[in-house]
Amino acid sequence: MIKTEDGSKYSGKFAVGDDVLDGELTFSGRDTSLYLHSPEFFRPDANADRCIQGTLHDLTKVSLLECVAYPIPGTANSQTGSYNFTEVKPHFVLHGRELISPASNLIDAVRFIASDALSIFHDHDAFAHAIAPTPAQIRSLVTAYEKVAQRKVKIGDRPEIAFFTGKREIFEAQTAFGTISATNNPRSNIFSGASGVFIRNFVTTDVRFDEPVTFQTALEAAMVILQFLELIAGRRQNVDELFVEMKGGNDHPERLDVYWCNPLARKGHSNERAPQFSDIPVDAVREPEAFAQILTRWLERHETWKVARSRFSASFSEENCYDTDRLICAANMYDLLPGSAVPTDVELPADLILARDQCRTIFRALPDSSERSSVLGTLGRVGKSSLKRKARHRAVPIVEALGQRLPHLNEVIDCAIDCRNFFVHGGDARVDYVGRFFDTVPFLTDTLEFVFGASDLMEAGWDIVAWAKKGTTMSHPFGAYRASYSGHLSALNDALPTDRKLF
């Protein structure tokens, strides 16, 4: 297996069009590159699928996907003559014992490690350290080891035993994406020695497809599931490791390691705090059936929700960084929800319908202008569900479940939309959003994000009442929002004008 640390270089032969060229692959994050050279002219962009396949000198097969290359190579002279060269930038490098092309439906499974996987899937009873092991316990283990090592081992007066219970599967769900599961994958030093022994666990999330798919389809599935895990963890996830599985030449499964040259990455903050397992809203270890059910239902409607969820993810991932753009994004995602998730249009009285239609006829007869288009657009929205109504509608199950814990939630939502409207359209704010920024904008943003994310989970089966009864260390945004709601509500109320006070 090749190493992919920054600066690692590997030479090999690479197929470009009808040519097989000498090249050097350098791993360096977003600067990862393939340097190709040949005494003969070649076209770096000869592969229409933007995939370059090759074999390194250690016989590792590599497939470089989504390559960016100049159409014409450079030329240079050496002591032995002239040669052509170019540098290719791939987005992904898949390496292992098989080659793969972008259009091939060969991927049976995709597996990845999310950066907060050990918090999301905190299976703390699967690994333990035996407290005060008895002489019989240590003697049994040592006797078995002596048979393998073929030598006697002396037992001291303070033995220690660390163990893994063997429980690998954490949960499994049959979903529209395929079979999704999370598993414990302990790694240990097989050979003991004076430096000691260890068992280190890595929790992988696996997707096994019903039928083989392309690499792009596998990657998209992994990213959707990662988006769900970000909601569960309360922050954006880095992909620490990524693999795909395909059938090899003898129908045996082959693993290809995926090197993502420029992956999505969480912004680091000096006060960054990892989520505590006790704050995770859905416990996959102690309630695997509930977790599987929520994930399954969440995925069932992703196709119609994906645009709104992508905006939520972009806003939610900013964590403790707030500005007006984030507030606007958090409000606008309600307009991107499918019709089934928001209230129906308002039923207008006949006289209002007549007035709207007459105005529309008058303005349509006028010459085209931005003002005319603006008025027609406004007339077209008459009777449509407003942004406030959509956000309030999403909050209904939350108010029903936690109304006493989150008083005036609907009024806070109205304030959030008013704030958004001011920063989008201008006008008379009646609230000093700049001078009282920290009393208004962060809390209003958190409210819109909490209502969106919590209601989405609730409709998938999340028990928010049971969650609200638990304590919190505030390492998850939902718990922090619940715990600090009263104080933030008072600060917001203080910033509002007298005639708009909440209490």
Side-chain angles (χ1 to χ4, degrees):
M1 181 183 295
I2 63 175
K3 297 181 179 180
T4 57
E5 288 87 357
D6 282 359
S8 299
K9 297 177 182 290
Y10 297 93
S11 298
K13 300 284 187 178
F14 300 87
V16 179
D18 295 329
D19 300 311
V20 177
L21 309 176
D22 291 315
E24 183 179 69
L25 178 61
T26 301
F27 291 96
S28 185
R30 67 178 58 190
D31 294 322
T32 295
S33 63
L34 172 64
Y35 177 79
L36 297 169
H37 58 91
S38 172
E40 305 296 331
F41 177 82
F42 64 93
R43 288 293 301 264
D45 61 348
N47 297 352
D49 59 1
R50 298 172 59 202
C51 170
I52 296 178
Q53 298 177 337
T55 302
L56 304 182
H57 287 165
D58 67 353
L59 301 184
T60 298
K61 298 183 184 298
V62 293
S63 302
L64 286 66
L65 306 185
E66 298 184 24
C67 294
V68 178
Y70 290 108
I72 304 298
T75 58
N77 294 309
S78 68
Q79 293 181 346
T80 58
S82 63
Y83 63 94
N84 299 274
F85 68 91
T86 194
E87 188 176 64
V88 176
K89 298 283 190 179
H91 279 76
F92 300 93
V93 180
L94 281 65
H95 54 94
R97 297 197 296 184
E98 297 287 342
L99 296 171
I100 192 167
S101 61
S104 301
N105 291 295
L106 295 174
I107 305 298
D108 294 313
V110 61
R111 180 177 300 116
F112 64 89
I113 299 176
S115 51
D116 286 326
L118 291 177
S119 295
I120 300 169
F121 306 110
H122 191 81
D123 199 358
H124 53 72
D125 289 332
F127 299 84
H129 189 275
I131 301 174
T134 65
Q137 289 173 329
I138 191 67
R139 168 46 60 194
S140 173
L141 293 173
V142 169
T143 298
Y145 175 74
E146 287 176 337
K147 292 179 180 178
V148 175
Q150 296 185 343
R151 63 176 179 271
K152 287 293 183 181
V153 176
K154 183 178 180 181
I155 299 176
D157 58 352
R158 292 183 181 179
E160 294 187 22
I161 300 175
F163 62 89
F164 168 50
T165 64
K167 181 197 170 193
R168 292 185 178 273
E169 182 178 295
I170 296 173
F171 87 93
E172 182 178 284
Q174 304 297 325
T175 76
F177 282 52
T179 302
I180 302 175
S181 61
T183 56
N184 290 310
N185 293 273
R187 300 174 187 174
S188 58
N189 53 342
I190 299 175
F191 301 102
S192 57
S195 62
V197 295
F198 69 84
I199 306 175
R200 188 180 178 192
N201 189 37
F202 295 84
V203 177
T204 61
T205 302
D206 306 69
V207 188
R208 186 158 295 279
F209 303 104
D210 297 330
E211 298 290 339
V213 300
T214 64
F215 173 74
Q216 185 62 34
T217 299
L219 181 66
E220 289 173 356
M223 292 305 99
V224 172
I225 295 161
L226 189 71
Q227 195 176 81
F228 175 81
L229 296 182
E230 289 175 345
L231 177 58
I232 299 301
R235 64 176 184 171
R236 172 157 283 176
Q237 296 297 292
N238 294 334
V239 178
D240 291 344
E241 295 184 25
L242 179 63
F243 323 96
V244 294
E245 184 181 296
M246 60 182 289
K247 285 187 174 62
N250 296 321
D251 252 9
H252 293 300
E254 290 287 350
R255 188 185 95 169
L256 299 181
D257 291 60
V258 180
Y259 183 84
W260 195 342
C261 302
N262 191 20
L264 299 173
R266 182 175 64 246
K267 296 178 182 177
H269 303 289
S270 58
N271 61 344
E272 188 174 61
R273 181 186 180 192
Q276 298 296 305
F277 74 91
S278 58
D279 287 339
I280 299 299
V282 187
D283 191 338
V285 175
R286 277 148 285 281
E287 298 178 277
E289 294 84 5
F291 187 93
Q293 181 187 70
I294 292 170
L295 173 59
T296 300
R297 291 179 177 175
W298 191 89
L299 291 174
E300 281 176 355
R301 64 182 188 184
H302 184 73
E303 186 60 30
T304 56
W305 276 65
K306 62 183 179 182
V307 177
R309 283 174 175 169
S310 69
R311 300 313 302 149
F312 169 78
S313 181
S315 182
F316 197 54
S317 66
E318 291 296 327
E319 300 183 46
N320 292 322
C321 296
Y322 295 92
D323 58 21
T324 56
D325 288 340
R326 179 177 175 182
L327 172 75
I328 294 168
C329 175
N332 288 352
M333 62 193 176
Y334 288 91
D335 268 339
L336 300 173
L337 286 167
S340 59
V342 294
T344 57
D345 295 344
V346 178
E347 187 173 345
L348 301 176
D351 55 348
L352 185 54
I353 294 175
L354 179 62
R356 179 198 64 190
D357 293 345
Q358 289 176 341
C359 289
R360 186 179 289 165
T361 300
I362 293 171
F363 275 89
R364 280 177 176 169
L366 298 176
D368 188 23
S369 67
S370 59
E371 290 77 12
R372 169 183 174 273
S373 298
S374 177
V375 173
L376 286 173
T378 301
L379 290 171
R381 290 190 294 273
V382 173
K384 299 295 183 183
S385 186
S386 67
L387 192 54
K388 282 185 179 180
R389 287 191 71 229
K390 291 177 181 179
R392 274 177 169 253
H393 180 78
R394 298 303 305 164
V396 167
I398 300 173
V399 172
E400 290 176 350
L402 303 181
Q404 292 184 338
R405 290 176 176 264
L406 305 175
H408 302 287
L409 182 60
N410 281 324
E411 289 82 356
V412 176
I413 290 172
D414 289 347
C415 290
I417 302 303
D418 288 339
C419 182
R420 173 263 183 196
N421 290 342
F422 170 73
F423 285 113
V424 171
H425 304 296
D428 181 14
R430 302 196 64 205
V431 176
D432 184 6
Y433 293 120
V434 177
R436 302 296 296 270
F437 180 90
F438 292 105
D439 292 331
T440 57
V441 173
F443 178 49
L444 297 178
T445 302
D446 287 343
T447 296
L448 293 171
E449 292 176 357
F450 173 76
V451 169
F452 186 98
S455 62
D456 194 7
L457 279 180
M458 288 179 71
E459 289 178 344
W462 179 44
D463 187 348
I464 195 173
V465 175
W467 165 80
K469 291 178 181 178
K470 299 192 303 182
T472 177
T473 68
M474 299 175 63
S475 66
H476 190 287
F478 286 4
Y481 180 79
R482 186 188 78 206
S484 60
Y485 184 85
S486 178
H488 287 148
L489 182 65
S490 296
L492 172 65
N493 191 58
D494 184 60
L496 295 175
T498 304
D499 62 336
R500 291 191 60 190
K501 296 292 185 184
L502 303 178
F503 51 86

PDB file of all heavy atoms in Angstrom, residues 110-138:
ATOM      1  N   VAL A 110     -19.338   1.898  -0.446  1.00  0.00           N
ATOM      2  CA  VAL A 110     -18.462   3.017  -0.108  1.00  0.00           C
ATOM      3  C   VAL A 110     -18.384   3.072   1.409  1.00  0.00           C
ATOM      4  O   VAL A 110     -19.366   2.798   2.115  1.00  0.00           O
ATOM      5  CB  VAL A 110     -18.986   4.350  -0.696  1.00  0.00           C
ATOM      6  CG1 VAL A 110     -20.360   4.708  -0.149  1.00  0.00           C
ATOM      7  CG2 VAL A 110     -18.005   5.492  -0.435  1.00  0.00           C
ATOM      8  N   ARG A 111     -17.215   3.397   1.908  1.00  0.00           N
ATOM      9  CA  ARG A 111     -16.981   3.404   3.355  1.00  0.00           C
ATOM     10  C   ARG A 111     -16.166   4.646   3.704  1.00  0.00           C
ATOM     11  O   ARG A 111     -15.220   4.993   3.001  1.00  0.00           O
ATOM     12  CB  ARG A 111     -16.219   2.138   3.752  1.00  0.00           C
ATOM     13  CG  ARG A 111     -15.896   1.992   5.227  1.00  0.00           C
ATOM     14  CD  ARG A 111     -15.199   0.660   5.506  1.00  0.00           C
ATOM     15  NE  ARG A 111     -16.049  -0.459   5.128  1.00  0.00           N
ATOM     16  CZ  ARG A 111     -15.752  -1.324   4.160  1.00  0.00           C
ATOM     17  NH1 ARG A 111     -14.620  -1.200   3.470  1.00  0.00           N
ATOM     18  NH2 ARG A 111     -16.563  -2.315   3.878  1.00  0.00           N
ATOM     19  N   PHE A 112     -16.554   5.323   4.783  1.00  0.00           N
ATOM     20  CA  PHE A 112     -15.805   6.521   5.175  1.00  0.00           C
ATOM     21  C   PHE A 112     -15.760   6.657   6.693  1.00  0.00           C
ATOM     22  O   PHE A 112     -16.580   6.060   7.408  1.00  0.00           O
ATOM     23  CB  PHE A 112     -16.411   7.779   4.542  1.00  0.00           C
ATOM     24  CG  PHE A 112     -17.822   8.103   4.980  1.00  0.00           C
ATOM     25  CD1 PHE A 112     -18.059   8.895   6.093  1.00  0.00           C
ATOM     26  CD2 PHE A 112     -18.912   7.608   4.281  1.00  0.00           C
ATOM     27  CE1 PHE A 112     -19.355   9.199   6.501  1.00  0.00           C
ATOM     28  CE2 PHE A 112     -20.208   7.902   4.675  1.00  0.00           C
ATOM     29  CZ  PHE A 112     -20.434   8.693   5.786  1.00  0.00           C
ATOM     30  N   ILE A 113     -14.802   7.440   7.159  1.00  0.00           N
ATOM     31  CA  ILE A 113     -14.674   7.748   8.578  1.00  0.00           C
ATOM     32  C   ILE A 113     -14.919   9.237   8.750  1.00  0.00           C
ATOM     33  O   ILE A 113     -14.158  10.064   8.235  1.00  0.00           O
ATOM     34  CB  ILE A 113     -13.286   7.368   9.125  1.00  0.00           C
ATOM     35  CG1 ILE A 113     -13.050   5.867   8.979  1.00  0.00           C
ATOM     36  CG2 ILE A 113     -13.150   7.789  10.579  1.00  0.00           C
ATOM     37  CD1 ILE A 113     -11.659   5.426   9.423  1.00  0.00           C
ATOM     38  N   ALA A 114     -16.005   9.586   9.438  1.00  0.00           N
ATOM     39  CA  ALA A 114     -16.300  10.981   9.743  1.00  0.00           C
ATOM     40  C   ALA A 114     -15.458  11.413  10.937  1.00  0.00           C
ATOM     41  O   ALA A 114     -15.160  10.609  11.832  1.00  0.00           O
ATOM     42  CB  ALA A 114     -17.785  11.154  10.052  1.00  0.00           C
ATOM     43  N   SER A 115     -15.074  12.678  10.951  1.00  0.00           N
ATOM     44  CA  SER A 115     -14.136  13.142  11.978  1.00  0.00           C
ATOM     45  C   SER A 115     -14.679  13.018  13.397  1.00  0.00           C
ATOM     46  O   SER A 115     -13.919  12.832  14.341  1.00  0.00           O
ATOM     47  CB  SER A 115     -13.732  14.586  11.695  1.00  0.00           C
ATOM     48  OG  SER A 115     -14.873  15.405  11.499  1.00  0.00           O
ATOM     49  N   ASP A 116     -16.002  13.102  13.566  1.00  0.00           N
ATOM     50  CA  ASP A 116     -16.594  12.971  14.907  1.00  0.00           C
ATOM     51  C   ASP A 116     -17.284  11.623  15.097  1.00  0.00           C
ATOM     52  O   ASP A 116     -18.186  11.492  15.932  1.00  0.00           O
ATOM     53  CB  ASP A 116     -17.610  14.099  15.158  1.00  0.00           C
ATOM     54  CG  ASP A 116     -16.931  15.440  15.398  1.00  0.00           C
ATOM     55  OD1 ASP A 116     -15.838  15.458  15.989  1.00  0.00           O
ATOM     56  OD2 ASP A 116     -17.493  16.470  14.989  1.00  0.00           O
ATOM     57  N   ALA A 117     -16.864  10.620  14.350  1.00  0.00           N
ATOM     58  CA  ALA A 117     -17.529   9.315  14.405  1.00  0.00           C
ATOM     59  C   ALA A 117     -17.509   8.712  15.810  1.00  0.00           C
ATOM     60  O   ALA A 117     -18.474   8.065  16.236  1.00  0.00           O
ATOM     61  CB  ALA A 117     -16.882   8.349  13.419  1.00  0.00           C
ATOM     62  N   LEU A 118     -16.431   8.924  16.555  1.00  0.00           N
ATOM     63  CA  LEU A 118     -16.337   8.331  17.889  1.00  0.00           C
ATOM     64  C   LEU A 118     -17.277   9.001  18.881  1.00  0.00           C
ATOM     65  O   LEU A 118     -17.606   8.420  19.920  1.00  0.00           O
ATOM     66  CB  LEU A 118     -14.896   8.407  18.400  1.00  0.00           C
ATOM     67  CG  LEU A 118     -13.899   7.506  17.668  1.00  0.00           C
ATOM     68  CD1 LEU A 118     -12.490   7.713  18.213  1.00  0.00           C
ATOM     69  CD2 LEU A 118     -14.300   6.036  17.790  1.00  0.00           C
ATOM     70  N   SER A 119     -17.729  10.229  18.585  1.00  0.00           N
ATOM     71  CA  SER A 119     -18.741  10.883  19.419  1.00  0.00           C
ATOM     72  C   SER A 119     -20.137  10.478  18.975  1.00  0.00           C
ATOM     73  O   SER A 119     -21.021  10.216  19.796  1.00  0.00           O
ATOM     74  CB  SER A 119     -18.593  12.405  19.341  1.00  0.00           C
ATOM     75  OG  SER A 119     -17.378  12.846  19.893  1.00  0.00           O
ATOM     76  N   ILE A 120     -20.343  10.422  17.665  1.00  0.00           N
ATOM     77  CA  ILE A 120     -21.656  10.056  17.132  1.00  0.00           C
ATOM     78  C   ILE A 120     -21.990   8.607  17.479  1.00  0.00           C
ATOM     79  O   ILE A 120     -23.117   8.286  17.862  1.00  0.00           O
ATOM     80  CB  ILE A 120     -21.682  10.245  15.601  1.00  0.00           C
ATOM     81  CG1 ILE A 120     -21.396  11.707  15.240  1.00  0.00           C
ATOM     82  CG2 ILE A 120     -23.021   9.811  15.023  1.00  0.00           C
ATOM     83  CD1 ILE A 120     -21.151  11.923  13.758  1.00  0.00           C
ATOM     84  N   PHE A 121     -20.988   7.722  17.367  1.00  0.00           N
ATOM     85  CA  PHE A 121     -21.173   6.287  17.636  1.00  0.00           C
ATOM     86  C   PHE A 121     -20.285   5.898  18.818  1.00  0.00           C
ATOM     87  O   PHE A 121     -19.333   5.142  18.664  1.00  0.00           O
ATOM     88  CB  PHE A 121     -20.822   5.462  16.398  1.00  0.00           C
ATOM     89  CG  PHE A 121     -21.560   5.876  15.158  1.00  0.00           C
ATOM     90  CD1 PHE A 121     -20.894   6.510  14.114  1.00  0.00           C
ATOM     91  CD2 PHE A 121     -22.915   5.649  15.025  1.00  0.00           C
ATOM     92  CE1 PHE A 121     -21.563   6.889  12.960  1.00  0.00           C
ATOM     93  CE2 PHE A 121     -23.596   6.031  13.874  1.00  0.00           C
ATOM     94  CZ  PHE A 121     -22.922   6.652  12.840  1.00  0.00           C
ATOM     95  N   HIS A 122     -20.612   6.426  19.984  1.00  0.00           N
ATOM     96  CA  HIS A 122     -19.749   6.259  21.153  1.00  0.00           C
ATOM     97  C   HIS A 122     -20.071   4.938  21.868  1.00  0.00           C
ATOM     98  O   HIS A 122     -20.819   4.897  22.833  1.00  0.00           O
ATOM     99  CB  HIS A 122     -19.928   7.445  22.106  1.00  0.00           C
ATOM    100  CG  HIS A 122     -18.911   7.489  23.195  1.00  0.00           C
ATOM    101  ND1 HIS A 122     -17.644   7.991  23.011  1.00  0.00           N
ATOM    102  CD2 HIS A 122     -18.961   7.074  24.488  1.00  0.00           C
ATOM    103  CE1 HIS A 122     -16.959   7.905  24.137  1.00  0.00           C
ATOM    104  NE2 HIS A 122     -17.735   7.353  25.053  1.00  0.00           N
ATOM    105  N   ASP A 123     -19.458   3.885  21.391  1.00  0.00           N
ATOM    106  CA  ASP A 123     -19.702   2.546  21.944  1.00  0.00           C
ATOM    107  C   ASP A 123     -18.683   2.265  23.037  1.00  0.00           C
ATOM    108  O   ASP A 123     -17.773   1.443  22.878  1.00  0.00           O
ATOM    109  CB  ASP A 123     -19.611   1.522  20.811  1.00  0.00           C
ATOM    110  CG  ASP A 123     -20.276   0.199  21.167  1.00  0.00           C
ATOM    111  OD1 ASP A 123     -20.762   0.082  22.303  1.00  0.00           O
ATOM    112  OD2 ASP A 123     -20.310  -0.695  20.301  1.00  0.00           O
ATOM    113  N   HIS A 124     -18.857   2.930  24.177  1.00  0.00           N
ATOM    114  CA  HIS A 124     -17.792   2.884  25.189  1.00  0.00           C
ATOM    115  C   HIS A 124     -17.682   1.534  25.896  1.00  0.00           C
ATOM    116  O   HIS A 124     -16.665   1.243  26.528  1.00  0.00           O
ATOM    117  CB  HIS A 124     -17.977   3.996  26.222  1.00  0.00           C
ATOM    118  CG  HIS A 124     -19.320   4.045  26.868  1.00  0.00           C
ATOM    119  ND1 HIS A 124     -19.751   3.120  27.776  1.00  0.00           N
ATOM    120  CD2 HIS A 124     -20.342   4.914  26.714  1.00  0.00           C
ATOM    121  CE1 HIS A 124     -20.960   3.419  28.185  1.00  0.00           C
ATOM    122  NE2 HIS A 124     -21.359   4.502  27.545  1.00  0.00           N
ATOM    123  N   ASP A 125     -18.707   0.686  25.805  1.00  0.00           N
ATOM    124  CA  ASP A 125     -18.608  -0.633  26.439  1.00  0.00           C
ATOM    125  C   ASP A 125     -17.943  -1.669  25.544  1.00  0.00           C
ATOM    126  O   ASP A 125     -17.705  -2.799  25.976  1.00  0.00           O
ATOM    127  CB  ASP A 125     -20.006  -1.124  26.829  1.00  0.00           C
ATOM    128  CG  ASP A 125     -20.583  -0.352  28.003  1.00  0.00           C
ATOM    129  OD1 ASP A 125     -19.780   0.146  28.813  1.00  0.00           O
ATOM    130  OD2 ASP A 125     -21.814  -0.236  28.105  1.00  0.00           O
ATOM    131  N   ALA A 126     -17.659  -1.319  24.295  1.00  0.00           N
ATOM    132  CA  ALA A 126     -17.027  -2.286  23.396  1.00  0.00           C
ATOM    133  C   ALA A 126     -15.537  -2.439  23.691  1.00  0.00           C
ATOM    134  O   ALA A 126     -14.918  -3.429  23.303  1.00  0.00           O
ATOM    135  CB  ALA A 126     -17.222  -1.866  21.944  1.00  0.00           C
ATOM    136  N   PHE A 127     -14.965  -1.455  24.383  1.00  0.00           N
ATOM    137  CA  PHE A 127     -13.545  -1.483  24.725  1.00  0.00           C
ATOM    138  C   PHE A 127     -13.417  -1.148  26.213  1.00  0.00           C
ATOM    139  O   PHE A 127     -14.095  -0.264  26.715  1.00  0.00           O
ATOM    140  CB  PHE A 127     -12.756  -0.465  23.899  1.00  0.00           C
ATOM    141  CG  PHE A 127     -12.826  -0.702  22.415  1.00  0.00           C
ATOM    142  CD1 PHE A 127     -13.889  -0.214  21.670  1.00  0.00           C
ATOM    143  CD2 PHE A 127     -11.838  -1.421  21.766  1.00  0.00           C
ATOM    144  CE1 PHE A 127     -13.974  -0.439  20.312  1.00  0.00           C
ATOM    145  CE2 PHE A 127     -11.911  -1.655  20.406  1.00  0.00           C
ATOM    146  CZ  PHE A 127     -12.981  -1.166  19.673  1.00  0.00           C
ATOM    147  N   ALA A 128     -12.554  -1.863  26.871  1.00  0.00           N
ATOM    148  CA  ALA A 128     -12.415  -1.612  28.306  1.00  0.00           C
ATOM    149  C   ALA A 128     -11.066  -2.095  28.803  1.00  0.00           C
ATOM    150  O   ALA A 128     -10.328  -2.807  28.105  1.00  0.00           O
ATOM    151  CB  ALA A 128     -13.537  -2.285  29.086  1.00  0.00           C
ATOM    152  N   HIS A 129     -10.778  -1.691  30.010  1.00  0.00           N
ATOM    153  CA  HIS A 129      -9.555  -2.084  30.701  1.00  0.00           C
ATOM    154  C   HIS A 129      -9.990  -2.854  31.938  1.00  0.00           C
ATOM    155  O   HIS A 129     -10.726  -2.326  32.771  1.00  0.00           O
ATOM    156  CB  HIS A 129      -8.748  -0.845  31.078  1.00  0.00           C
ATOM    157  CG  HIS A 129      -7.385  -1.146  31.604  1.00  0.00           C
ATOM    158  ND1 HIS A 129      -7.134  -1.437  32.923  1.00  0.00           N
ATOM    159  CD2 HIS A 129      -6.180  -1.207  30.979  1.00  0.00           C
ATOM    160  CE1 HIS A 129      -5.846  -1.646  33.095  1.00  0.00           C
ATOM    161  NE2 HIS A 129      -5.237  -1.515  31.938  1.00  0.00           N
ATOM    162  N   ALA A 130      -9.563  -4.103  32.033  1.00  0.00           N
ATOM    163  CA  ALA A 130      -9.965  -4.933  33.177  1.00  0.00           C
ATOM    164  C   ALA A 130      -9.389  -4.360  34.469  1.00  0.00           C
ATOM    165  O   ALA A 130      -8.198  -4.041  34.549  1.00  0.00           O
ATOM    166  CB  ALA A 130      -9.486  -6.361  32.977  1.00  0.00           C
ATOM    167  N   ILE A 131     -10.253  -4.206  35.455  1.00  0.00           N
ATOM    168  CA  ILE A 131      -9.830  -3.666  36.750  1.00  0.00           C
ATOM    169  C   ILE A 131      -9.425  -4.818  37.662  1.00  0.00           C
ATOM    170  O   ILE A 131     -10.203  -5.734  37.927  1.00  0.00           O
ATOM    171  CB  ILE A 131     -10.972  -2.847  37.394  1.00  0.00           C
ATOM    172  CG1 ILE A 131     -11.365  -1.694  36.467  1.00  0.00           C
ATOM    173  CG2 ILE A 131     -10.567  -2.328  38.761  1.00  0.00           C
ATOM    174  CD1 ILE A 131     -12.579  -0.926  36.944  1.00  0.00           C
ATOM    175  N   ALA A 132      -8.194  -4.770  38.126  1.00  0.00           N
ATOM    176  CA  ALA A 132      -7.660  -5.790  39.042  1.00  0.00           C
ATOM    177  C   ALA A 132      -7.939  -7.208  38.558  1.00  0.00           C
ATOM    178  O   ALA A 132      -8.683  -7.968  39.183  1.00  0.00           O
ATOM    179  CB  ALA A 132      -8.233  -5.586  40.454  1.00  0.00           C
ATOM    180  N   PRO A 133      -7.364  -7.598  37.413  1.00  0.00           N
ATOM    181  CA  PRO A 133      -7.590  -8.966  36.918  1.00  0.00           C
ATOM    182  C   PRO A 133      -7.060 -10.001  37.912  1.00  0.00           C
ATOM    183  O   PRO A 133      -6.045  -9.793  38.587  1.00  0.00           O
ATOM    184  CB  PRO A 133      -6.808  -8.999  35.607  1.00  0.00           C
ATOM    185  CG  PRO A 133      -5.774  -7.931  35.742  1.00  0.00           C
ATOM    186  CD  PRO A 133      -6.413  -6.855  36.560  1.00  0.00           C
ATOM    187  N   THR A 134      -7.747 -11.115  38.000  1.00  0.00           N
ATOM    188  CA  THR A 134      -7.352 -12.170  38.935  1.00  0.00           C
ATOM    189  C   THR A 134      -6.170 -12.945  38.368  1.00  0.00           C
ATOM    190  O   THR A 134      -5.926 -12.950  37.152  1.00  0.00           O
ATOM    191  CB  THR A 134      -8.519 -13.140  39.167  1.00  0.00           C
ATOM    192  OG1 THR A 134      -8.815 -13.819  37.934  1.00  0.00           O
ATOM    193  CG2 THR A 134      -9.765 -12.396  39.648  1.00  0.00           C
ATOM    194  N   PRO A 135      -5.419 -13.621  39.220  1.00  0.00           N
ATOM    195  CA  PRO A 135      -4.309 -14.456  38.723  1.00  0.00           C
ATOM    196  C   PRO A 135      -4.769 -15.487  37.700  1.00  0.00           C
ATOM    197  O   PRO A 135      -4.054 -15.782  36.736  1.00  0.00           O
ATOM    198  CB  PRO A 135      -3.791 -15.119  40.007  1.00  0.00           C
ATOM    199  CG  PRO A 135      -4.148 -14.153  41.089  1.00  0.00           C
ATOM    200  CD  PRO A 135      -5.467 -13.571  40.690  1.00  0.00           C
ATOM    201  N   ALA A 136      -5.972 -16.038  37.904  1.00  0.00           N
ATOM    202  CA  ALA A 136      -6.470 -17.044  36.965  1.00  0.00           C
ATOM    203  C   ALA A 136      -6.711 -16.441  35.582  1.00  0.00           C
ATOM    204  O   ALA A 136      -6.435 -17.080  34.560  1.00  0.00           O
ATOM    205  CB  ALA A 136      -7.760 -17.660  37.499  1.00  0.00           C
ATOM    206  N   GLN A 137      -7.215 -15.209  35.555  1.00  0.00           N
ATOM    207  CA  GLN A 137      -7.482 -14.561  34.278  1.00  0.00           C
ATOM    208  C   GLN A 137      -6.192 -14.312  33.503  1.00  0.00           C
ATOM    209  O   GLN A 137      -6.097 -14.592  32.306  1.00  0.00           O
ATOM    210  CB  GLN A 137      -8.214 -13.229  34.510  1.00  0.00           C
ATOM    211  CG  GLN A 137      -9.653 -13.390  34.972  1.00  0.00           C
ATOM    212  CD  GLN A 137     -10.283 -12.065  35.355  1.00  0.00           C
ATOM    213  OE1 GLN A 137      -9.609 -11.146  35.816  1.00  0.00           O
ATOM    214  NE2 GLN A 137     -11.601 -11.963  35.163  1.00  0.00           N
ATOM    215  N   ILE A 138      -5.187 -13.772  34.165  1.00  0.00           N
ATOM    216  CA  ILE A 138      -3.938 -13.474  33.470  1.00  0.00           C
ATOM    217  C   ILE A 138      -3.202 -14.764  33.115  1.00  0.00           C
ATOM    218  O   ILE A 138      -2.582 -14.875  32.053  1.00  0.00           O
ATOM    219  CB  ILE A 138      -3.048 -12.528  34.306  1.00  0.00           C
ATOM    220  CG1 ILE A 138      -1.895 -12.011  33.458  1.00  0.00           C
ATOM    221  CG2 ILE A 138      -2.549 -13.206  35.554  1.00  0.00           C
ATOM    222  CD1 ILE A 138      -2.326 -11.095  32.333  1.00  0.00           C
TER     223      ILE A 138
END
